[in-house]
Amino acid sequence: MNPLIANLEGKLIVSCQAYPGEPLRHPETMAQMARAAELGGAAAIRCQGLSDISAIKGRVEIPVLGLWKEGHEGVYITPTLRHARACVNAGADVVAIDATDRPRPDGLTFEETVEALKGETLIMADCSCMDDVHRAIAAGCDIVSTTLAGYTPAREKTAGPDLEFVREAVAAAEGTNIPVFCEGRVHTPAQAREAIDAGAFAVVVGTAITHPTSVTGWFVGALEK
């Protein structure tokens, strides 16, 4: 296992992302958010977009897991080889890519994209189901993550993190030296702990830490019930 990844065992990775049109959608703001997360103990930062990757890489000393979102349907997380290489050039230590078998804009398969990237960067496979996990392991990805669980028709969306998926993925990766990250709907420290107890190598938390609009909505919703 690559030392950079090995150092993330049992640790928290904070996702610093803002959506188009939101007040926090600015590279410097995301860089400040990332630095604040680093000071709080985050072991790595996950972020999207070339400007954000570059700004955050220049602000923190911990690894940066980069991706580039383009579009809103189908494969939009680092959808092509060009997007992945751009993330590397922007400073990402690890590049996250969609691990589904859905068509990609450049016509390459997931496996072809991974093969082309080997030796250029560490690869994090964002998976939606066990088929994706098996595909990522067979392709030789460095990290498997439950990022897309519940966001495709392949798997029902759970209220919190899909811990059953985590357990299944960990079992599938046993003996491969490929770690499984839990990502998606981890909203409390207790849920993060549960993910580690379920076998996750590391936990990625975004919304609950870095998206104040959503967190505010949770509180407002609770008061309106």
Side-chain angles (χ1 to χ4, degrees):
M1 184 182 297
N2 185 281
L4 183 152
I5 298 173
N7 287 334
L8 300 179
E9 184 172 10
K11 301 293 181 59
L12 173 68
I13 298 160
V14 174
S15 179
C16 296
Q17 300 183 46
Y19 303 106
E22 292 186 338
L24 301 184
R25 179 71 176 229
H26 191 281
E28 177 59 22
T29 302
M30 289 296 100
Q32 291 172 332
M33 189 82 77
R35 175 56 179 156
E38 180 181 29
L39 291 174
I45 299 296
R46 178 172 161 120
C47 59
Q48 89 83 25
L50 305 185
S51 296
D52 285 13
I53 293 170
S54 179
I56 290 171
K57 185 63 178 177
R59 184 64 64 88
V60 303
E61 297 181 1
I62 52 181
V64 173
L65 285 54
L67 59 134
W68 180 356
K69 289 181 179 177
E70 187 162 276
H72 304 283
E73 297 180 354
V75 178
Y76 62 87
I77 295 178
T78 321
T80 71
L81 179 59
R82 176 181 67 85
H83 287 81
R85 284 178 168 155
C87 289
V88 176
N89 291 334
D93 301 293
V94 179
V95 174
I97 64 175
D98 180 305
T100 68
D101 64 353
R102 296 175 293 183
R104 296 165 198 273
D106 59 3
L108 296 179
T109 64
F110 168 75
E111 291 84 355
E112 290 169 339
T113 302
V114 171
E115 185 62 30
L117 287 173
K118 285 181 179 178
E120 297 182 21
T121 185
L122 297 171
I123 303 167
M124 179 175 182
D126 286 352
C127 301
S128 69
C129 62
M130 285 306 300
D131 284 347
D132 298 348
V133 170
H134 292 303
R135 185 179 304 108
I137 292 172
C141 291
D142 301 285
I143 300 166
V144 165
S145 180
T146 62
T147 311
L148 293 174
Y151 296 106
T152 75
R155 198 170 180 95
E156 185 177 348
K157 187 175 183 179
T158 54
D162 192 337
L163 298 181
E164 180 181 356
F165 186 23
V166 171
R167 295 186 186 95
E168 292 173 356
V170 169
E174 186 175 0
T176 67
N177 212 31
I178 298 174
V180 174
F181 288 11
C182 177
E183 180 173 5
R185 301 179 299 280
V186 182
H187 293 161
T188 68
Q191 289 176 334
R193 182 66 252 176
E194 288 172 356
I196 294 295
D197 292 341
F201 188 86
V203 180
V204 182
V205 178
T207 300
I209 296 176
T210 62
H211 199 253
T213 301
S214 294
V215 177
T216 301
W218 297 345
F219 280 88
V220 171
L223 295 179
E224 291 177 346
K225 286 183 179 180

